Amino acid sequence: MFNKRKIFFHCPLISSVLGVLSAAGKVFFAEVGQKVTMECGAPWFKSKVEWIRDTLIIRVSTNNHIPSKGQSPIGKRAKMSKHVDLEISTVMETDFGKFTCNVDGVPHEHVLIVFSVLVPSDVLEFGAHATLECRVKSPDNAAKVKWQKLNGLEEHSHKVDLKSADSSHKGIWQCKVSYEEDTFTKNITINVKDPVPEPTTPPLKKNRQNSTGGSTKNWPKDMVFLGLIWWIWVAIGAGGLVVIILIVVVIVVYKRNKRRKRKFLRMKKVQLSKNPKTYCQCVRQTTAAKPQQGRRREKPSALPLQPLLQE
C-alpha cells in the first residue's frame, strides 16, 4: 500500500519534470540579410500558438487559422512554418533577443543571435591593407566571437587587421560565435594576388655625354639641364625661331603672289570687254554697170563768179 502511494505521489513530479525538459529553449544563429527558421519545441497545438519578443509577433488559433500579427517590427517579415515554427525573412541586426513560443499555454524560451561578416573582398591586392570584421548581436552581449585561420595557430578578436596582405594570409578564415554552450562557425576564403615583378632597368652611366661629345660632369649644376649645357639650349631655341620666321615669310609671299595674280586676271578681263568685236566680212563680186539707154543732156557748168566792178 505504501509503495502504491509513493508511486502515486511521484507521478505528478515526473510529469512536471518532463514538461520542463520539453520546454527547454534553443539558440539560433542568423546572418544579416538571410532567412532563419526558429523551431517552437512542440509539434502541434490544440487551441492556439503565439510567438512573442517583448510584444506579440504572430498568433494562430484553431478558431481562426488565419495568422494575426502584433505590433512587433518583426511581424512584417515573419510567418508560421510547419504550423508552430517561426520563419523570419531578411534578418536585421535588431532582430536579436529572447523569443517565447506559447503552445496551449506552455512557454518555450529561445534565443536568436544575429551576426554579420564584413570583408572588403575575397581577393586582396598584394601589400594592401584589409580588415576582417565579425559583428555579433546577442542578449546582454553575452555572445563571444573570435577569428581563427585554419591550419594556423593565430586567434584574434571580432576584428582582424591585415596591414600588408601577403601569401601567408591566404586560406580559410573562420568566424566563431559562441553563446553559452552553443557555437556557430562562418567560413570565408581569402586569396592574395601574387606580387608584380619590378621591371629591370639598365644601370645609368655615371658620366653623361652631351651633344658635343664632352662630359657635363665638371659643369656647374645650374648650367646643365637634361644633360645639355645652357648655350646648346639657346642655339636650339634660336634655330627653332628662325624656322618659324621662315615659315611665316613663305606664307606671306605666297598669299601676296596669289593676290597679285588674281588682280592681274581681273584687269585683263576688263580690257577684253572694252575692245570692239570683229566679225568676218566676205568679199562679194561687184555687179556690172547698167548700160545707158539714152544720152542725157549734160547740165552746163556754172559760170564763174565775176568780181564786182569797182567805181
Side-chain angles (χ1 to χ4, degrees), residues 105-227:
V106 179
H108 300 262
E109 302 290 339
H110 304 291
V111 176
L112 178 63
I113 309 297
V114 178
F115 70 94
S116 60
V117 177
L118 304 178
V119 180
S121 175
D122 294 340
V123 181
L124 304 179
E125 297 288 340
F126 184 86
H129 178 268
T131 301
L132 312 181
E133 186 176 1
C134 190
R135 296 180 182 177
V136 177
K137 298 292 184 179
S138 63
D140 302 326
N141 295 323
K144 298 179 181 180
V145 58
K146 67 178 180 179
W147 280 98
Q148 182 177 4
K149 185 176 181 295
L150 292 184
N151 301 327
L153 300 177
E154 62 266 31
E155 292 187 2
H156 308 270
S157 61
H158 71 285
K159 183 184 292 187
V160 179
D161 287 328
L162 306 179
K163 295 183 179 180
S164 181
D166 54 25
S167 58
S168 63
H169 298 140
K170 292 182 180 179
I172 299 176
W173 289 77
Q174 288 184 337
C175 173
K176 288 187 176 181
V177 182
S178 58
Y179 182 83
E180 295 180 352
E181 297 180 356
D182 297 282
T183 303
F184 180 83
T185 302
K186 173 71 175 182
N187 296 342
I188 62 170
T189 302
I190 297 296
N191 292 317
V192 180
K193 291 184 178 180
D194 295 331
V196 179
E198 297 182 358
T200 57
T201 56
L204 299 176
K205 294 183 180 180
K206 295 182 179 180
N207 296 331
R208 294 176 295 179
Q209 300 294 327
N210 57 16
S211 60
T212 60
S215 175
T216 60
K217 181 178 179 181
N218 298 326
W219 288 86
K221 292 183 179 180
D222 56 349
M223 298 181 64
V224 179
F225 180 71
L226 296 179

Side-chain angles (χ1 to χ4, degrees), residues 288-301:
K290 294 183 179 180
Q292 297 181 359
Q293 295 179 358
R295 190 172 183 180
R296 294 183 181 179
R297 181 183 294 178
E298 294 180 1
K299 293 181 179 181
S301 59

